[in-house]
Amino acid sequence: MKPQLKTLQVYSAGLSEEALKRKTGFTGSFSRLASNEHPFGPTPQVKAKLSAALDGFNYYPDPEATYLKSELSEFYGLPSEQILVGAGLDEVIMMISRAILEPYGEVITSESTFVQYATHALIENTTLTKIPLKEGKYDLVSMSQAISEKTNLIWICNPNNPTGTYVNETELRTFLNQVPESIPVVLDEAYFEFVDATDFPDSLQLLKAFPNIIVLRTFSKAYGLAAMRIGYALTSKAYVSEFNKVKLPFNVTTLSQLAASTALADQAYLQNYVRHNQSAREWLFAQPYSKHFYPSQTNFIFIKTNEPQALFDTLISHGVISRPMPNGVRVTIGTEQDNHKIDAALTEYFG
């Protein structure tokens, strides 16, 4: 076994609802708000399309995801050759890491960001440099100063998970101008659809100026297809060609490809959910306890506290499953009923 595996822990998604009920004695209905999932589920058209497609399971799926990539190509105005499809962004991140990272190279990212960047750096025996967040957001100035001859990959989660903060167009463009063209920079935009900030980077325009960037997006969050495991990268043809060499041959199922193309087509449903999320986010930020929040451009809120377990327990007592972190708790913005549970818990906790 690789010796570096001894430093890793198996990913834990937290206790199940039943386990939490046994542990806490809570007898009501839980709101599952720990993993930033879509509270309403995908467009109903997905269920209709999948129900009509229950044949052909004896054949492997299209290894190129040809139809889905053609739909994404039209949606974004990019050639299909610049699109890589994976079984969730987790797999896309793994493919990028496997293709690029080398022993004794270096990955630069931030502390308090998506854990898979660090996980794959360690698996590939690559030096990991994590720059502390600055007021909850990526410190691109310090990250640019950390670049060395060993650096072979940079990860930027924008908006950041778990804090919900973002770096703007000016900050990102300034940073990219300081990165050597030989170093790939990944912009993980898993929560892109929820952003309403007018100065958020236009990453597709940036891709035209900086061919070393890799833009990640997903169907798991705003499109409500977390169970289907489908994400994708938008980048240069050269990068996609290399990533395809490490991609598993039949990595995305036939039903997942169909679900994603169906969800992509129903932009009205997507926008209705995005408007709901923005309205609910604004309502929660209008409450007195919001002074303990990081500003968010996502479908979740990070609540700062020195006692995250106590806050987690308070949320549980109100029927809310959240995600405790070392310096706070992340909770998904849910339905109106879910959000009133959050409100009651935070009002109790912060007094």
Side-chain angles (χ1 to χ4, degrees):
M1 293 293 177
K2 291 182 176 181
Q4 57 266 36
L5 295 184
K6 294 179 180 179
T7 66
L8 294 175
Q9 299 293 323
V10 175
Y11 177 80
S12 173
L15 296 176
S16 67
E17 292 183 55
E18 287 304 314
L20 280 170
K21 285 183 177 182
R22 289 195 299 270
K23 181 178 180 181
T24 65
F26 182 79
T27 58
S29 175
F30 274 125
S31 295
R32 293 173 52 175
L33 304 177
S35 299
N36 309 333
E37 295 152 323
H38 195 311
F40 305 107
T43 167
Q45 294 182 26
V46 167
K47 185 175 181 179
K49 283 287 184 72
L50 295 185
S51 297
L54 300 181
D55 290 310
F57 289 169
N58 51 315
Y59 299 109
Y60 287 109
D62 174 8
E64 300 300 325
T66 307
Y67 181 74
L68 175 58
K69 286 202 289 190
S70 71
E71 295 295 298
L72 287 168
S73 173
E74 182 178 351
F75 186 76
Y76 287 116
L78 281 176
S80 294
E81 294 81 7
Q82 290 187 244
I83 302 170
L84 175 76
V85 177
L89 282 187
D90 289 321
E91 192 201 22
V92 176
I93 290 167
M94 182 175 68
M95 285 191 281
I96 292 170
S97 299
R98 188 173 185 186
I100 294 174
L101 300 185
E102 299 177 302
Y104 316 115
E106 177 189 46
V107 167
I108 298 176
T109 189
S110 179
E111 292 181 348
S112 302
T113 194
F114 191 50
V115 297
Q116 292 300 312
Y117 314 150
T119 296
H120 289 288
L122 292 169
I123 290 171
E124 301 299 334
N125 199 26
T126 297
T127 299
L128 178 63
T129 299
K130 296 197 290 186
I131 305 299
L133 295 177
K134 189 174 183 179
E135 297 179 356
K137 62 184 285 188
Y138 270 68
D139 181 357
L140 296 187
V141 173
S142 295
M143 286 179 67
S144 66
Q145 294 169 350
I147 295 171
S148 71
E149 293 181 356
K150 292 175 55 181
T151 306
N152 51 20
L153 185 60
I154 298 172
W155 296 96
I156 299 173
C157 190
N158 199 35
N160 184 42
N161 176 16
T163 59
T165 57
Y166 75 103
V167 294
N168 65 34
E169 173 90 20
T170 300
E171 293 167 333
L172 183 56
R173 187 175 286 271
T174 299
F175 174 78
L176 292 172
N177 278 320
Q178 296 171 335
V179 178
E181 292 183 3
S182 60
I183 301 175
V185 178
V186 184
L187 307 178
D188 185 345
E189 296 184 347
Y191 299 91
F192 166 80
E193 290 84 1
F194 299 109
V195 174
D196 60 8
T198 57
D199 60 348
F200 190 81
D202 185 338
S203 54
L204 296 190
Q205 287 299 316
L206 289 173
L207 182 57
K208 296 177 182 178
F210 301 95
N212 60 319
I213 69 173
I214 304 165
V215 181
L216 306 187
R217 294 187 180 171
T218 184
F219 287 97
S220 293
K221 305 304 181 182
Y223 287 97
L225 293 176
M228 303 304 289
R229 308 310 302 130
I230 187 158
Y232 56 98
L234 309 170
T235 187
S236 69
K237 294 179 183 179
Y239 280 170
V240 171
S241 177
E242 294 304 298
F243 298 151
N244 275 327
K245 294 176 183 178
V246 300
K247 180 181 76 68
L248 294 178
F250 304 103
N251 60 328
V252 180
T253 72
T254 299
L255 293 183
S256 295
Q257 294 180 39
L258 177 59
S261 62
T262 303
L264 183 68
D266 195 348
Q267 287 296 304
Y269 184 85
L270 170 74
Q271 292 306 319
N272 281 336
Y273 169 47
V274 168
R275 284 192 291 270
H276 161 82
N277 182 78
Q278 290 173 341
S279 177
R281 189 170 68 197
E282 290 171 3
W283 179 74
L284 286 165
F285 270 87
Q287 308 311 314
Y289 46 69
S290 66
K291 65 184 179 181
H292 300 284
F293 297 172
Y294 280 128
S296 177
Q297 285 289 306
T298 65
N299 68 333
F300 61 83
I301 292 170
F302 189 91
I303 309 153
K304 295 173 283 185
T305 176
N306 292 326
E307 297 180 327
Q309 187 61 47
L311 176 53
F312 173 83
D313 291 341
T314 301
L315 285 159
I316 284 290
S317 72
H318 287 267
V320 174
I321 304 175
S322 62
R323 186 74 169 176
M325 306 278 177
N327 59 340
V329 170
R330 188 192 67 195
V331 63
T332 310
I333 298 167
T335 65
E336 184 176 359
Q337 182 181 16
D338 295 334
N339 298 332
H340 280 289
K341 289 183 182 180
I342 295 171
D343 174 62
L346 296 184
T347 298
E348 176 184 326
Y349 182 79
F350 289 110

